[in-house]
Short mmCIF file of all heavy atoms in Angstrom, two decimals:
data_model
loop_
_atom_site.label_atom_id
_atom_site.label_comp_id
_atom_site.label_asym_id
_atom_site.label_seq_id
_atom_site.Cartn_x
_atom_site.Cartn_y
_atom_site.Cartn_z
N PRO A 1 0.80 -1.23 0.00
CA PRO A 1 0.00 0.00 0.00
C PRO A 1 0.83 1.28 0.00
O PRO A 1 0.27 2.37 0.05
CB PRO A 1 -0.80 -0.12 1.30
CG PRO A 1 0.12 -0.87 2.22
CD PRO A 1 0.85 -1.86 1.34
N ASP A 2 2.15 1.16 -0.08
CA ASP A 2 3.03 2.32 0.10
C ASP A 2 2.71 3.48 -0.84
O ASP A 2 2.69 4.65 -0.42
CB ASP A 2 4.49 1.90 -0.10
CG ASP A 2 4.94 0.84 0.88
OD1 ASP A 2 4.15 -0.09 1.15
OD2 ASP A 2 6.08 0.90 1.37
N SER A 3 2.50 3.17 -2.12
CA SER A 3 2.24 4.25 -3.08
C SER A 3 0.90 4.92 -2.80
O SER A 3 0.75 6.14 -2.99
CB SER A 3 2.27 3.72 -4.51
OG SER A 3 1.35 2.66 -4.69
N VAL A 4 -0.07 4.15 -2.33
CA VAL A 4 -1.37 4.72 -1.97
C VAL A 4 -1.22 5.64 -0.76
O VAL A 4 -1.75 6.76 -0.74
CB VAL A 4 -2.39 3.60 -1.68
CG1 VAL A 4 -3.69 4.18 -1.14
CG2 VAL A 4 -2.65 2.79 -2.94
N PHE A 5 -0.49 5.18 0.25
CA PHE A 5 -0.26 6.02 1.42
C PHE A 5 0.53 7.28 1.07
O PHE A 5 0.27 8.36 1.62
CB PHE A 5 0.48 5.22 2.51
CG PHE A 5 -0.33 4.12 3.12
CD1 PHE A 5 0.29 2.98 3.60
CD2 PHE A 5 -1.71 4.22 3.24
CE1 PHE A 5 -0.45 1.95 4.17
CE2 PHE A 5 -2.47 3.21 3.82
CZ PHE A 5 -1.83 2.06 4.28
N ALA A 6 1.50 7.14 0.15
CA ALA A 6 2.27 8.31 -0.27
C ALA A 6 1.37 9.33 -0.96
O ALA A 6 1.49 10.55 -0.74
CB ALA A 6 3.40 7.88 -1.20
N ALA A 7 0.42 8.84 -1.78
CA ALA A 7 -0.51 9.74 -2.45
C ALA A 7 -1.41 10.43 -1.44
O ALA A 7 -1.66 11.64 -1.53
CB ALA A 7 -1.34 8.96 -3.45
N MET A 8 -1.92 9.65 -0.48
CA MET A 8 -2.76 10.25 0.58
C MET A 8 -2.00 11.36 1.31
O MET A 8 -2.55 12.43 1.57
CB MET A 8 -3.17 9.18 1.59
CG MET A 8 -4.15 8.16 1.09
SD MET A 8 -4.45 6.94 2.42
CE MET A 8 -5.40 5.72 1.53
N LYS A 9 -0.75 11.10 1.62
CA LYS A 9 0.05 12.09 2.35
C LYS A 9 0.19 13.38 1.55
O LYS A 9 0.03 14.48 2.09
CB LYS A 9 1.43 11.51 2.68
CG LYS A 9 2.30 12.43 3.52
CD LYS A 9 3.61 11.74 3.89
CE LYS A 9 4.48 12.67 4.75
NZ LYS A 9 5.76 12.01 5.14
N GLU A 10 0.48 13.24 0.24
CA GLU A 10 0.64 14.43 -0.59
C GLU A 10 -0.66 15.20 -0.74
O GLU A 10 -0.66 16.43 -0.90
CB GLU A 10 1.18 14.04 -1.97
CG GLU A 10 2.64 13.62 -1.97
CD GLU A 10 3.22 13.57 -3.37
OE1 GLU A 10 2.94 14.50 -4.16
OE2 GLU A 10 3.96 12.62 -3.66
N LEU A 11 -1.78 14.48 -0.68
CA LEU A 11 -3.09 15.13 -0.83
C LEU A 11 -3.69 15.55 0.51
O LEU A 11 -4.80 16.07 0.56
CB LEU A 11 -4.06 14.16 -1.52
CG LEU A 11 -3.77 13.86 -2.99
CD1 LEU A 11 -4.68 12.76 -3.50
CD2 LEU A 11 -3.91 15.10 -3.85
N HIS A 12 -2.94 15.31 1.61
CA HIS A 12 -3.42 15.63 2.95
C HIS A 12 -4.76 14.93 3.22
O HIS A 12 -5.72 15.53 3.71
CB HIS A 12 -3.57 17.15 3.13
CG HIS A 12 -2.31 17.91 2.83
ND1 HIS A 12 -1.20 17.87 3.64
CD2 HIS A 12 -1.97 18.69 1.76
CE1 HIS A 12 -0.24 18.61 3.12
NE2 HIS A 12 -0.68 19.12 1.97
N SER A 13 -4.78 13.65 2.91
CA SER A 13 -5.96 12.83 3.13
C SER A 13 -5.59 11.60 3.94
O SER A 13 -4.46 11.48 4.42
CB SER A 13 -6.58 12.44 1.79
OG SER A 13 -7.85 11.84 1.97
N ASP A 14 -6.55 10.68 4.11
CA ASP A 14 -6.28 9.45 4.85
C ASP A 14 -7.21 8.35 4.36
O ASP A 14 -8.09 8.58 3.52
CB ASP A 14 -6.44 9.67 6.36
CG ASP A 14 -7.80 10.23 6.74
OD1 ASP A 14 -8.82 9.84 6.11
OD2 ASP A 14 -7.87 11.05 7.66
N ALA A 15 -7.01 7.14 4.90
CA ALA A 15 -7.77 5.98 4.44
C ALA A 15 -9.27 6.12 4.66
O ALA A 15 -10.08 5.60 3.89
CB ALA A 15 -7.25 4.72 5.12
N ALA A 16 -9.65 6.82 5.71
CA ALA A 16 -11.07 6.97 6.04
C ALA A 16 -11.83 7.79 5.00
O ALA A 16 -13.06 7.71 4.92
CB ALA A 16 -11.23 7.60 7.41
N HIS A 17 -11.10 8.55 4.18
CA HIS A 17 -11.74 9.45 3.22
C HIS A 17 -11.35 9.13 1.77
O HIS A 17 -11.57 9.94 0.88
CB HIS A 17 -11.36 10.89 3.53
CG HIS A 17 -11.81 11.35 4.89
ND1 HIS A 17 -11.02 11.21 6.01
CD2 HIS A 17 -12.97 11.89 5.30
CE1 HIS A 17 -11.68 11.68 7.06
NE2 HIS A 17 -12.86 12.09 6.67
N SER A 18 -10.78 7.93 1.55
CA SER A 18 -10.24 7.60 0.23
C SER A 18 -10.88 6.35 -0.37
O SER A 18 -11.38 5.48 0.34
CB SER A 18 -8.72 7.37 0.33
OG SER A 18 -8.06 8.53 0.81
N ILE A 19 -10.82 6.28 -1.69
CA ILE A 19 -11.26 5.10 -2.44
C ILE A 19 -10.29 4.88 -3.59
O ILE A 19 -9.65 5.83 -4.06
CB ILE A 19 -12.71 5.27 -2.96
CG1 ILE A 19 -13.29 3.93 -3.40
CG2 ILE A 19 -12.78 6.31 -4.07
CD1 ILE A 19 -14.81 3.98 -3.62
N TYR A 20 -10.16 3.62 -3.99
CA TYR A 20 -9.20 3.26 -5.03
C TYR A 20 -9.96 2.77 -6.26
O TYR A 20 -11.00 2.12 -6.15
CB TYR A 20 -8.29 2.15 -4.50
CG TYR A 20 -7.12 1.83 -5.40
CD1 TYR A 20 -5.91 2.48 -5.24
CD2 TYR A 20 -7.24 0.89 -6.41
CE1 TYR A 20 -4.83 2.20 -6.08
CE2 TYR A 20 -6.18 0.60 -7.25
CZ TYR A 20 -4.98 1.25 -7.07
OH TYR A 20 -3.94 0.98 -7.90
N VAL A 21 -9.42 3.06 -7.44
CA VAL A 21 -10.02 2.64 -8.71
C VAL A 21 -8.95 1.95 -9.54
O VAL A 21 -7.92 2.54 -9.83
CB VAL A 21 -10.61 3.82 -9.50
CG1 VAL A 21 -11.26 3.34 -10.78
CG2 VAL A 21 -11.61 4.60 -8.66
N GLY A 22 -9.21 0.68 -9.93
CA GLY A 22 -8.23 -0.05 -10.72
C GLY A 22 -8.86 -1.14 -11.56
O GLY A 22 -10.08 -1.37 -11.47
N ASP A 23 -8.03 -1.82 -12.34
CA ASP A 23 -8.57 -2.80 -13.30
C ASP A 23 -8.05 -4.22 -13.09
O ASP A 23 -8.33 -5.10 -13.91
CB ASP A 23 -8.22 -2.36 -14.73
CG ASP A 23 -6.74 -2.59 -15.04
OD1 ASP A 23 -5.89 -2.05 -14.29
OD2 ASP A 23 -6.44 -3.29 -16.01
N SER A 24 -7.33 -4.48 -11.98
CA SER A 24 -6.68 -5.78 -11.85
C SER A 24 -6.80 -6.36 -10.45
O SER A 24 -7.23 -5.69 -9.51
CB SER A 24 -5.20 -5.66 -12.22
OG SER A 24 -4.49 -5.00 -11.19
N ASP A 25 -6.37 -7.62 -10.33
CA ASP A 25 -6.29 -8.27 -9.03
C ASP A 25 -5.27 -7.57 -8.14
O ASP A 25 -5.46 -7.49 -6.92
CB ASP A 25 -5.93 -9.75 -9.20
CG ASP A 25 -4.69 -9.96 -10.06
OD1 ASP A 25 -4.51 -9.24 -11.06
OD2 ASP A 25 -3.90 -10.87 -9.74
N VAL A 26 -4.20 -7.06 -8.74
CA VAL A 26 -3.20 -6.31 -7.97
C VAL A 26 -3.84 -5.08 -7.34
O VAL A 26 -3.57 -4.76 -6.17
CB VAL A 26 -2.02 -5.90 -8.88
CG1 VAL A 26 -1.05 -4.98 -8.12
CG2 VAL A 26 -1.30 -7.13 -9.39
N ASP A 27 -4.72 -4.42 -8.07
CA ASP A 27 -5.39 -3.23 -7.54
C ASP A 27 -6.35 -3.58 -6.40
O ASP A 27 -6.44 -2.85 -5.41
CB ASP A 27 -6.13 -2.50 -8.66
CG ASP A 27 -5.19 -1.96 -9.70
OD1 ASP A 27 -4.18 -1.35 -9.32
OD2 ASP A 27 -5.46 -2.13 -10.90
N ILE A 28 -7.06 -4.68 -6.54
CA ILE A 28 -7.97 -5.12 -5.47
C ILE A 28 -7.18 -5.38 -4.20
O ILE A 28 -7.57 -4.94 -3.11
CB ILE A 28 -8.73 -6.39 -5.91
CG1 ILE A 28 -9.64 -6.10 -7.10
CG2 ILE A 28 -9.54 -6.96 -4.75
CD1 ILE A 28 -10.16 -7.34 -7.80
N GLN A 29 -6.05 -6.07 -4.32
CA GLN A 29 -5.24 -6.38 -3.15
C GLN A 29 -4.58 -5.13 -2.58
O GLN A 29 -4.45 -4.98 -1.37
CB GLN A 29 -4.16 -7.40 -3.51
CG GLN A 29 -3.41 -7.97 -2.32
CD GLN A 29 -4.32 -8.69 -1.35
OE1 GLN A 29 -5.12 -9.52 -1.75
NE2 GLN A 29 -4.23 -8.37 -0.06
N THR A 30 -4.19 -4.20 -3.45
CA THR A 30 -3.60 -2.94 -2.99
C THR A 30 -4.59 -2.17 -2.12
O THR A 30 -4.23 -1.68 -1.04
CB THR A 30 -3.19 -2.08 -4.20
OG1 THR A 30 -2.22 -2.79 -4.97
CG2 THR A 30 -2.59 -0.75 -3.76
N ALA A 31 -5.82 -2.05 -2.60
CA ALA A 31 -6.85 -1.34 -1.83
C ALA A 31 -7.09 -2.03 -0.50
O ALA A 31 -7.22 -1.37 0.55
CB ALA A 31 -8.14 -1.26 -2.64
#
């Protein structure tokens, strides 16, 4: 989840306010 957390940090957000959009099994597991 590192890249997702890095994005949240740059956007001043957190997991409670975020959603992920992807097209693969890797994306499902990442979220």
